[in-house]
Amino acid sequence: MYRGRFAPSPTGRLHFGSLVAAVASYLDARAHNGQWLVRIEDLDPPREQPGAAKDILNTLEAFALYWDEPVEYQSQRHKRYEERLDQLIAQQRVYACHCTRKQIRESGGVYQNICRNRQHSLKDSVALRFLQQQPITEFCDQLQGKVCFPQAQMAEDFIIKRKDGLFAYQLAVVSDDIDQEITSVVRGADLLDSTPRQIALYKCFQEKPPEYLHIPLAINPDGNKLSKQNYAPAIEAAQARSQLVAALAFLGQATADIPPKASCEEILTIATYQWSRERVPRTRELPCPETT
Ligand code: GLU
C-alpha cells in the first residue's frame, strides 16, 4: 500500500513552493490509490511562528488537500527519537562533539569528524553526531534519476541531536517515516542531499528506505529559493483555484481540461486522474510563475 506524506515545518504560512510540494505528494499518492498523511515538523521551537501550524492545516483544507489519519506533530514524538538515538548508541554509531560552528567554518565548512576518537561523554550538553561507516554517495530518484554526491560531503558525521537538546531533522524525519510506514517521499529538490544521510539511518535501523521523488524547487527571479525567510508571499485561500492550477502547470501537468469554474475538489480529481510523473520537469530548480 502506497503511503505518502507532506511534512511542513511551521515556520510561517504556506507559500507557492510549499504548495507545489503538497500538491505533488498528494497527487502522486492519490494516483497510486494511496494514503496521504500530513506531519507538522515542529522540531525547532525557536524557528516556529505562533499559529503557523494551524494556519497551514487550514490552508490545506481550503485547497481541498484533505489528509488521511490524524496529523502527527514532531513535538509529541521526542520519546521515539530518544529510543532511536539509544538504538544508534547501542550500535556505537553516536559520539559527542565539542566543536563550534566557527571552528568548522574555519576548517573548510565540512566537519572533519575530528571528535570521533575523543570519547567525550554523551551526557553533557553537547552535540551528538552520527558516525558514518560506509557513507551513501548515490541513490536512484524516481524523477531525477541517479543522483551522486562527493564522498567528502557524505562522509561527514552529521548532527542527530543538537547541543541545545533538540533533535535534528535527519533523525526525526527517518524515525517518523518509519513509524508512519511511509513508502514514498515526494518533496522539494532542496532536500536531495539529505537523502543519502537518511538512507544511512534506515540501514542502521534495518528498515527499507522509501522511494524518493524530488520535484523542482520554486525559485525567485533572483535565483533564490522561495522561503519564509525571504518573505515569499503566502498563498491565499481566496485564490485557491488559480493557485492550484498554477501549481499543476509548474509541475508540468495538463491543465487544459480543467473547466474555468471548477472547484478545488474538481481540479484535484481531474489532476489525480491525469497525474503523470513523466511530465514533471527533471530539473532541480524552476522559476515560480509571476502571479505568485
Ligand atoms: N519539514 C521539511 C521542510 O519543511 C520537509 C521534510 C521532508 O519532506 O522530508 O522543509
Side-chain angles (χ1 to χ4, degrees):
M1 169 58 135
Y2 181 117
R3 280 168 69 86
R5 60 20 168 222
F6 174 55
S9 306
T11 51
R13 301 181 62 196
L14 287 187
H15 52 71
F16 185 75
S18 35
L19 174 68
V20 165
V23 168
S25 59
Y26 175 93
L27 292 177
D28 200 58
R30 295 296 184 229
H32 286 89
N33 291 317
Q35 287 163 331
W36 186 66
L37 314 186
V38 172
R39 181 170 72 230
I40 298 288
E41 302 213 316
D42 51 352
L43 205 55
D44 190 352
R47 286 189 55 228
E48 273 147 39
Q49 218 185 69
K54 188 92 204 73
D55 186 81
I56 289 171
L57 296 176
N58 288 341
T59 307
L60 291 174
E61 283 183 326
F63 280 71
L65 291 161
Y66 304 122
W67 54 91
D68 305 306
E69 303 185 7
V71 174
E72 290 275 9
Y73 291 81
Q74 289 193 324
S75 55
Q76 316 280 308
R77 300 184 50 82
H78 287 195
K79 210 171 139 270
R80 283 301 284 146
Y81 308 149
E82 209 60 71
E83 287 166 4
R84 295 276 180 203
L85 179 63
D86 288 343
Q87 272 176 270
L88 297 176
I89 293 173
Q91 294 175 38
Q92 301 185 333
R93 299 295 295 270
V94 180
Y95 66 89
C97 171
H98 287 197
C99 299
T100 61
R101 268 187 218 184
K102 185 160 171 270
Q103 285 168 323
I104 297 171
R105 221 176 20 248
E106 285 168 1
S107 69
V110 176
Y111 181 63
Q112 301 297 327
N113 306 340
I114 51 179
C115 289
R116 259 193 190 190
N117 301 315
R118 290 192 172 158
Q119 261 120 50
H120 298 305
S121 160
L122 300 185
K123 301 239 156 43
D124 306 330
S125 58
V126 281
L128 300 183
R129 290 186 182 267
F130 173 71
L131 194 153
Q132 289 273 27
Q133 264 169 4
Q134 284 160 332
I136 310 279
T137 56
E138 58 180 59
F139 71 96
C140 181
D141 188 87
Q142 299 301 316
L143 180 66
Q144 311 287 343
K146 184 169 155 184
V147 188
C148 302
F149 299 87
Q151 168 83 14
Q153 185 190 0
M154 287 307 153
E156 180 181 44
D157 294 334
F158 55 88
I159 291 183
I160 47 179
K161 191 170 183 188
R162 294 171 10 182
K163 185 171 182 290
D164 58 11
L166 296 176
F167 285 97
Y169 158 70
Q170 309 291 5
L171 179 67
V173 83
V174 168
S175 178
D176 291 341
D177 282 340
I178 293 173
D179 288 352
Q180 296 189 280
E181 298 177 13
I182 299 301
T183 61
S184 303
V185 168
V186 177
R187 61 186 177 191
D190 53 329
L191 290 165
L192 272 170
D193 64 359
S194 285
T195 306
R197 299 184 171 109
Q198 293 173 11
I199 294 174
L201 289 176
Y202 271 91
K203 276 194 140 183
C204 282
F205 297 131
Q206 293 178 344
E207 298 280 350
K208 184 171 169 278
E211 59 167 357
Y212 291 98
L213 191 156
H214 288 86
I215 57 168
L217 192 69
I219 52 168
N220 285 326
D222 61 8
N224 286 321
K225 170 185 170 183
L226 288 193
S227 74
K228 293 136 190 168
Q229 285 73 28
N230 61 27
Y231 307 106
I235 49 165
E236 299 296 339
Q239 272 107 47
R241 287 176 297 137
S242 60
Q243 294 277 9
L244 263 186
V245 175
L248 292 172
F250 181 91
L251 289 163
Q253 304 300 301
T255 55
D257 292 346
I258 298 173
K261 294 246 160 61
S263 65
C264 288
E265 276 91 344
E266 287 162 346
I267 295 172
L268 289 173
T269 304
I270 297 170
T272 300
Y273 184 68
Q274 297 187 335
W275 173 250
S276 157
R277 286 183 174 185
E278 286 72 43
R279 292 188 68 143
V280 182
R282 284 181 69 174
T283 170
R284 296 183 185 185
E285 291 182 348
L286 213 56
C288 82
E290 269 169 27
T291 52
T292 56

